[in-house]
Amino acid sequence: MKKLLKWHDKYTLKILVSFLILFTALYPKLPSIHIMRTWVYIRLEDFFILATVLIWFIQLLRRKVSLPRVFAGSIGAYWLIGLISLVYSILVIGPTLIHYFPHLAALSYIRRIEYMILFFVAFSTIRTKKDVRDYFIVLASTVGLVALYGLGQRYYVILWAAFPSFFQSNPFCFPSFQTGNEEFAKGLPLCLPPGGRTTSTFGGSYDLGAYLVMVLPVVIGVFVTIKKLGLKILTFFVFLAGLMLLIFTAQRAAFVAYLVGSIFTLFIYKRKIFIIPLIIISIFSLSIFSEATAKRFLSTFRISSIVTNSQGQLVGEALPAGLKSKFQKPRGGEYLPSGSAYIGLPQEKTLETDTAMIKKTLTPQEARRLKLADGTLQISTVSGSFLVRKVLVYDISFTTRFQAEWPNALRAFQRNPILGSGYSTITLATDNDYLRALGETGILGLLSFMGIFLMLWITLCKLGPSSKPSMTAGFAYGLAGGVLGLALNAVLIDVFEASKVAESLWILLGISVGSLLLYKQKPIPYMLEVKKIFTSSKALIAYLAILVIGAFSHTVTNFFVADDFTWLKWAATDTLQSLPNHFLNAQNFFYRPLVKIITFFLYTLFSFQPQGYHSFIIFLHLLSTVAVFCLAKKILNDKFHAFCTAVLFALLPVHSENIMWFSGLSGVLATLLILGGTVSFLRFRLNNSKVSLVISFILTALALASYEIAVVAPLLYLAVDALIVRRAWSKKNYLIHIPFLALIPLYYLLRIFSNAFPGGGDYSYNLIRIVPNFIGNFLGYIGLFIAGNGFLPFYDNLRNTLRSQSSLFTIVLLVVFCVLGYVGYAQRRKAVSFLKKDISRQIIFGIVFAAISLLPFLGLGNIAPRYLYLGSFGFCFSLVVGLSAISKLIVGKRRIDSKWVVVVIVLGLSVWYQLENIEQGKKWKKAGEITADTLAYLRVEHENIKATDSTYFVNVPVKHDGIWVFPVGLNDGMWFIYRDRTPHVYQVNSVDDAKKAVTTRSGKSYLFRYDKFGNISQVK
């Protein structure tokens, strides 16, 4: 009896785990017990798993097996968060939802426990290194059998052709048992048609593809480890069979994920010599074995001609005469229907109207003001003329995700961002596991789930090298590639909830971790490694990305205002061939050719829809924030204070005009390029990298093609040399600045020859007031930085008051500067000692950086928040360095880390900044509503205005609550409504002025008036 019990303790669980590897993959998804309100069934494998877990639990109570504490903690944390989410959804969220059933939510939670507990069961079976070999044999046999069955499904028609008389009397096929709909899930056997997507023993081609994505890198990892030729050949044939099966699933995402995961395996396992052969074999097999899969790759995107209205909203696909439009346009034409999204392509010529292709007449009811979902007016109807465009259309499998499944998951997330809406509150298919996790278990659920894999990665990094070369290493590194492949595949497929995939995944992970821990010689400092990962530069950049996207995503739907319409009209009337001309002909506008080119491509992609433009601005702001972090880190050699600087820069409310207004693109783009050039120049100085010097020069030249502020870039590099690098003054060190300085006169010559706007009005300097303007404006920008946008009205009032006493003000300033100069000269020794300290030089550098960045604007007669975008880095940098120095003085010799003082202050400022940003976002939203309502009103109520008519506008809102509305851009905005029929546009001060002007004009005249709220109406 003791021998039998000893044998049981040693082999029973291993045999059961081996059986589960085989059975869960090979046994079709046949139903056993039906669950009400769904077509998901309890299946035979669930009973086997339950029996295995019960035996393991008994062994655990007998202390014959043990739990890995780290993984018990991480997986237990995920289970606990899931339980809290489940209870909250049943008690709070569930009762408010239609088609919510608590028993389904509970079963979904239990199912995840069922999958993940297999990790501990498999982990408990690893006692020697030979166990890994045994398990790989089982896994390879499973893959081979799954492949054979799948190949049988694919080629059984060959048997029919070879033995027709036999199969006519004895119908036969390798049946497929799918779970794609309620009827199939009942266990209905299906014979796949020739060339159909192979499912083998799985419930669908998606599940089979995900399974192969996971196991094929494991086969590859072991293959490159095996030394015996016979076993190597056998393993290669298993891989080849699995690859063919993957191709026959026709899963594009799975094929790409497999390739990435396999390459990753070979890369981290340091078997890079096999990467090229692997790619060749994979691509060759794809082109040979399955023409259908190759066609699916090619059909992911296709060039087509579509019909849009004058605002770029989709009406239909342009087809030959006599055929109906392929896409069904929704009422109002605002949103694309599922399966019809497109990406614009550059047009070879200016778009022309084509009324012969599609012309739709609306009923009187439809011709009334169309309303959007949020209650605002629809800008365009679908009557009138239309445009034919060449676009890149992507297929229905992508657009159904973008327009239906993913928004559904995001709505579930928004109900409770911390814990989600609970299990079973999203449809069976979300086709994105990360959005599913956010929707069901919120941020905590997703982070805890990802934390499990973080522990797995740390284990591999610490123990993987010591396990080389062995089958354990090949298995572990291969599984790492398989998990990466699954992670990529999870962007488009729900792979971690697919039973056959999830059960195998957690079993293999348990085997891998158990085998790696056999090589552990000392404890693994998991918490220290986690801290390193979460405080690494890459992690900090990821936090900045989350911060920027979260802070400004609410502005994405704001409509265009002011100069935006001018930029968009240029883009709409531009052509691909004329883009180089922008470098030689500025058309009496500011010299910004690079911005014009970018706007052209943005218009090509997004047409007249603002979401894409605002998203692009936010993306550039994110890159600028990352550049701030990199520059501050290079100077301070300290990630913490660099991160604090970047956080302040990212959230500074004074940047709202740059980020929330598309016309701020010039300043944001130029700032990004200048900061990038400064980082590259500093890297050149510190590392003597000639490549970095060339990159800095290129970025500076591009910045000059983006915005006038770029003329200060060479001066900033001089400041870096003088205050940060502190190079000795010599010809060799400072001759390097000559190419940068030479760009400035070349830039001005190019401006002259390209007929760029020379300045004037608000963009001119008054030499008489240049000194007080410089001083007063610099102080004004400091006030803007400290107090935000609310400081601007106070500054304007103060400036108007002092303008009448400008002479006295200038004299006072000169006296103050003379006194300061004398004091500085008298205390010159202390000043020199002060400058020798790093902190002092860093604070001065930040102030000098801000002053140099503002040089082009300090002489102007006013200040504007958008001009502070680049200079704010200097102020943020000096503020953080100064706070660090003060906090050290406050803390002194106390045990408290001075960094916590900085954290508290920066956190407080961040909260204040974000509240200001939210308020600014509402103001910009309101300004956009005024412009959108104006164009919608004209489009719906005055569609028949002609080019010979005249329109007069009274009380046109230049600003609303301090935000730009129509200082310019009204006539350009109307062009998007009327195109070639755009009437004459006049802005007058009063109704009487308009009536006087009407008598001198030919054609019909229309008079419109704005009230104090920005609402437009016609005066008859």
Side-chain angles (χ1 to χ4, degrees):
M1 187 65 181
K2 290 184 178 179
K3 290 184 178 180
L4 182 62
L5 189 60
K6 186 176 180 180
W7 184 92
H8 163 74
D9 293 339
K10 187 174 182 180
Y11 294 110
T12 299
L13 279 179
K14 183 177 178 180
I15 292 172
L16 288 173
V17 170
S18 301
F19 172 76
L20 288 178
I21 293 174
L22 281 162
F23 187 81
T24 55
L26 293 174
Y27 185 74
K29 300 190 77 170
L30 297 174
S32 295
I33 300 176
H34 179 243
I35 301 174
M36 297 296 293
R37 307 291 185 179
T38 182
W39 71 67
V40 176
Y41 290 82
I42 295 176
R43 306 181 191 280
L44 189 57
E45 66 212 45
D46 298 314
F47 295 104
F48 286 123
I49 291 173
L50 177 60
T52 303
V53 171
L54 287 175
I55 293 173
W56 169 81
F57 187 70
I58 293 172
Q59 295 291 79
L60 183 65
L61 294 177
R62 295 178 58 224
R63 297 186 179 181
K64 296 298 180 181
V65 297
S66 60
L67 289 174
R69 291 184 179 179
V70 172
F71 295 99
S74 57
I75 293 176
Y78 173 72
W79 288 347
L80 178 61
I81 292 170
L83 178 62
I84 297 172
S85 175
L86 172 66
V87 173
Y88 185 84
S89 69
I90 292 175
L91 297 178
V92 180
I93 295 180
T96 66
L97 301 177
I98 303 174
H99 305 304
Y100 177 82
F101 305 103
H103 74 283
L104 294 182
L107 286 173
S108 296
Y109 173 66
I110 293 172
R111 186 177 66 170
R112 284 160 173 80
I113 296 178
E114 175 192 6
Y115 298 158
M116 300 174 75
I117 202 170
L118 292 173
F119 172 88
F120 301 110
V121 177
F123 173 87
S124 302
T125 63
I126 302 297
R127 292 181 172 86
T128 66
K129 299 173 184 178
K130 292 181 180 179
D131 292 327
V132 181
R133 178 201 63 188
D134 297 339
Y135 277 128
F136 177 74
I137 293 172
V138 175
L139 178 64
S141 302
T142 304
V143 174
L145 292 172
V146 169
L148 286 175
Y149 191 88
L151 295 176
Q153 285 181 338
R154 182 80 176 185
Y155 293 117
Y156 77 92
V157 292
I158 297 177
L159 298 177
W160 277 75
F163 308 101
S165 58
F166 174 79
F167 285 108
Q168 284 178 0
S169 58
N170 301 279
F172 170 80
C173 71
F174 289 83
S176 171
F177 297 90
Q178 302 185 24
T179 57
N181 58 49
E182 188 171 0
E183 289 301 316
F184 289 174
K186 293 178 180 178
L188 181 66
L190 303 172
C191 290
L192 297 179
R197 298 187 190 184
T198 303
T199 62
S200 188
T201 57
F202 284 68
S205 59
Y206 292 102
D207 295 355
L208 175 58
Y211 177 81
L212 293 170
V213 166
M214 175 180 63
V215 298
L216 285 180
V218 178
V219 176
I220 292 171
V222 175
F223 166 79
V224 298
T225 304
I226 294 174
K227 296 181 179 180
K228 292 183 179 180
L229 182 60
L231 294 177
K232 208 174 188 71
I233 293 173
L234 188 61
T235 305
F236 176 77
F237 278 112
V238 171
F239 158 73
L240 195 60
L243 177 59
M244 290 175 61
L245 186 62
L246 175 62
I247 293 171
F248 291 151
T249 64
Q251 293 301 314
R252 295 164 292 186
F255 183 84
V256 173
Y258 138 77
L259 203 55
V260 172
S262 300
I263 293 173
F264 179 74
T265 293
L266 296 173
F267 183 81
I268 62 174
Y269 197 25
K270 297 183 179 179
R271 299 292 192 273
K272 301 175 185 178
I273 192 173
F274 292 97
I275 292 178
I276 299 301
L278 172 71
I279 295 174
I280 293 173
I281 291 173
S282 300
I283 302 300
F284 179 77
S285 300
L286 176 66
S287 60
I288 294 298
F289 292 127
S290 180
E291 183 180 354
T293 307
K295 285 183 177 179
R296 286 203 76 210
F297 271 102
L298 295 175
S299 65
T300 303
F301 299 96
R302 59 185 174 84
I303 295 177
S304 179
S305 295
I306 65 164
V307 182
T308 68
N309 58 25
S310 58
Q311 285 78 51
Q313 297 161 336
L314 181 67
V315 173
E317 186 171 9
L319 299 176
L323 295 181
K324 293 183 178 180
S325 177
K326 185 173 182 178
F327 299 149
Q328 296 297 318
K329 185 199 72 59
R331 183 179 179 83
E334 178 65 11
Y335 300 104
L336 300 179
S338 180
S340 60
Y342 67 88
I343 299 174
L345 293 175
Q347 308 300 310
E348 295 180 357
K349 60 180 181 179
T350 303
L351 300 178
E352 298 175 353
T353 58
D354 188 340
T355 58
M357 180 160 293
I358 292 181
K359 181 85 172 180
K360 177 170 178 161
T361 302
L362 298 180
T363 65
Q365 291 77 18
E366 290 175 315
R368 298 296 179 187
R369 296 185 179 187
L370 302 177
K371 292 282 187 178
L372 300 183
D374 60 0
T376 59
L377 284 173
Q378 172 71 18
I379 289 180
S380 176
T381 64
V382 292
S383 62
S385 300
F386 295 84
L387 308 176
V388 180
R389 302 180 63 194
K390 287 288 187 183
V391 298
L392 206 61
V393 180
Y394 38 95
D395 68 5
I396 192 169
S397 63
F398 282 94
T399 50
T400 49
R401 292 177 173 90
F402 300 153
Q403 299 172 350
E405 295 169 349
W406 293 359
N408 185 38
L410 289 173
R411 284 191 292 271
F413 168 68
Q414 289 168 356
R415 294 190 196 106
N416 186 355
I418 303 300
L419 291 171
S421 294
Y423 297 107
S424 192
T425 54
I426 306 177
T427 54
L428 284 177
T430 302
D431 286 338
N432 185 306
D433 247 320
Y434 308 106
L435 292 180
R436 172 179 283 278
L438 283 174
E440 291 185 335
T441 57
I443 295 173
L444 289 181
L446 178 61
L447 291 179
S448 61
F449 183 75
M450 297 176 68
I452 300 170
F453 292 93
L454 178 61
M455 297 297 106
L456 293 168
W457 175 250
I458 293 173
T459 303
L460 179 63
C461 292
K462 289 297 180 181
L463 301 178
S466 60
S467 66
K468 296 178 184 178
S470 67
M471 189 171 288
T472 296
F475 192 98
Y477 283 106
L479 188 57
V483 170
L484 175 63
L486 281 182
L488 294 176
N489 205 19
V491 175
L492 298 173
I493 305 294
D494 298 334
V495 295
F496 295 112
E497 283 75 32
S499 58
K500 285 180 175 289
V501 178
E503 290 158 359
S504 299
L505 170 65
W506 292 104
I507 289 175
L508 296 180
L509 287 173
I511 294 170
S512 178
V513 172
S515 60
L516 284 173
L517 289 179
L518 295 175
Y519 294 87
K520 187 176 75 171
Q521 297 179 349
K522 58 182 179 179
I524 300 174
Y526 282 101
M527 296 310 298
L528 180 61
E529 294 298 322
V530 169
K531 182 180 178 181
K532 287 181 180 179
I533 291 173
F534 280 99
T535 58
S536 65
S537 295
K538 294 179 181 178
L540 295 177
I541 290 173
Y543 304 151
L544 291 174
I546 295 171
L547 179 68
V548 170
I549 294 172
F552 298 104
S553 59
H554 65 281
T555 67
V556 167
T557 57
N558 291 357
F559 197 65
F560 305 110
V561 296
D563 304 55
D564 295 349
F565 299 107
T566 304
W567 285 98
L568 292 173
K569 182 181 176 182
W570 281 335
T573 55
D574 215 343
T575 61
L576 190 62
Q577 291 80 2
S578 64
L579 294 183
N581 295 333
H582 293 309
F583 289 93
L584 302 175
N585 186 3
Q587 300 174 333
N588 200 34
F589 185 70
F590 296 106
Y591 188 75
R592 301 174 187 176
L594 185 58
V595 180
K596 285 189 174 182
I597 292 172
I598 291 175
T599 306
F600 169 80
F601 284 104
L602 289 176
Y603 183 82
T604 299
L605 291 173
F606 307 117
S607 191
F608 205 57
Q609 306 302 313
Q611 294 87 345
Y613 299 88
H614 290 306
S615 298
F616 184 74
I617 286 282
I618 293 172
F619 175 68
L620 288 185
H621 178 58
L622 168 59
L623 294 181
S624 298
T625 302
V626 174
V628 165
F629 171 76
C630 294
L631 180 55
K633 181 173 173 288
K634 276 286 181 184
I635 296 172
L636 300 173
N637 196 25
D638 180 3
K639 292 182 292 187
F640 171 77
H641 291 99
F643 180 73
C644 291
T645 303
V647 168
L648 294 179
F649 178 87
L651 298 178
L652 204 62
V654 77
H655 292 163
S656 59
E657 196 172 65
N658 300 88
I659 304 168
M660 301 178 190
W661 185 23
F662 171 65
S663 296
L665 172 63
S666 303
V668 178
L669 178 62
T671 295
L672 171 62
L673 295 170
I674 293 170
L675 289 173
T678 308
V679 172
S680 297
F681 184 83
L682 187 56
R683 184 179 290 117
F684 157 71
R685 282 305 197 195
L686 297 177
N687 304 328
N688 197 28
S689 170
K690 301 297 190 297
V691 174
S692 297
L693 181 63
V694 173
I695 292 174
S696 179
F697 184 83
I698 293 173
L699 292 177
T700 305
L702 291 175
L704 287 168
S706 304
Y707 195 39
E708 296 74 22
I709 195 177
V711 296
V712 305
L715 302 180
L716 294 176
Y717 305 155
L718 283 168
V720 168
D721 260 355
L723 294 171
I724 302 301
V725 182
R726 299 178 68 188
R727 289 274 180 172
W729 185 269
S730 65
K731 291 183 178 180
K732 181 180 179 181
N733 289 333
Y734 283 89
L735 280 177
I736 203 70
H737 291 278
I738 291 179
F740 293 97
L741 293 170
L743 284 174
I744 298 177
L746 289 175
Y747 167 71
Y748 279 105
L749 286 174
L750 193 56
R751 281 175 57 91
I752 293 171
F753 289 120
S754 64
N755 299 314
F757 176 63
D762 292 337
Y763 300 99
S764 61
Y765 299 107
N766 188 329
L767 296 179
I768 297 176
R769 297 179 177 177
I770 193 79
V771 174
N773 280 351
F774 260 76
I775 299 171
N777 284 344
F778 187 68
L779 296 176
Y781 282 114
I782 294 176
L784 269 179
F785 172 76
I786 296 173
N789 293 285
F791 176 77
L792 191 59
F794 168 78
Y795 175 81
D796 289 337
N797 292 332
L798 180 63
R799 188 179 185 87
N800 292 332
T801 303
L802 294 175
R803 189 166 287 163
S804 59
Q805 304 292 333
S806 58
S807 300
L808 178 62
F809 180 62
T810 303
I811 294 171
V812 171
L813 286 177
L814 288 174
V815 170
V816 170
F817 270 89
C818 289
V819 172
L820 291 175
Y822 174 78
V823 172
Y825 177 78
Q827 302 294 326
R828 58 186 181 277
R829 291 184 178 179
K830 292 183 179 180
V832 171
S833 177
F834 177 78
L835 287 173
K836 288 182 178 180
K837 298 179 180 179
D838 288 341
I839 292 178
S840 304
R841 285 187 294 102
Q842 290 164 358
I843 293 175
I844 292 173
F845 170 76
I847 297 173
V848 169
F849 187 100
I852 293 174
S853 301
L854 291 167
L855 273 179
F857 313 113
L858 293 180
L860 300 178
N862 61 357
I863 64 174
R866 62 183 178 275
Y867 297 150
L868 187 56
Y869 190 70
L870 175 61
S872 62
F873 161 75
F875 288 139
C876 291
F877 181 81
S878 294
L879 176 61
V880 170
V881 175
L883 287 175
S884 177
I886 294 171
S887 64
K888 289 178 181 178
L889 293 176
I890 294 174
V891 172
K893 296 182 179 180
R894 298 183 182 93
R895 294 182 179 181
I896 302 174
D897 192 342
S898 62
K899 290 183 178 180
W900 286 108
V901 178
V902 179
V903 167
V904 172
I905 296 174
V906 170
L907 183 61
L909 289 174
S910 299
V911 173
W912 171 42
Y913 288 173
Q914 184 54 23
L915 292 175
E916 287 290 317
N917 286 326
I918 293 173
E919 188 63 29
Q920 287 293 313
K922 293 177 181 177
K923 293 180 180 180
W924 282 99
K925 183 178 180 63
K926 177 58 180 177
E929 289 174 354
I930 294 173
T931 59
D933 287 349
T934 296
L935 300 185
Y937 173 80
L938 295 173
R939 183 67 177 95
V940 176
E941 299 291 350
H942 299 280
E943 184 180 14
N944 297 321
I945 293 179
K946 300 178 181 179
T948 55
D949 296 336
S950 298
T951 55
Y952 298 86
F953 295 87
V954 180
N955 298 331
V956 176
V958 175
K959 280 188 173 184
H960 180 83
D961 204 5
I963 304 301
W964 297 112
V965 180
F966 274 131
V968 295
L970 177 58
N971 55 338
D972 292 321
M974 291 175 63
W975 180 87
F976 285 94
I977 300 300
Y978 302 109
R979 294 274 173 163
D980 296 336
R981 297 184 294 108
T982 302
H984 302 289
V985 180
Y986 303 97
Q987 299 184 32
V988 292
N989 296 322
S990 66
V991 174
D992 292 336
D993 291 342
K995 290 180 178 180
K996 293 178 183 178
V998 166
T999 59
T1000 63
R1001 307 292 180 189
S1002 60
K1004 292 184 178 181
S1005 296
Y1006 299 84
L1007 177 59
F1008 304 100
R1009 178 170 54 192
Y1010 288 91
D1011 62 18
K1012 62 180 181 180
F1013 301 106
N1015 300 317
I1016 187 173
S1017 60
Q1018 184 180 11
V1019 179
K1020 296 184 179 180

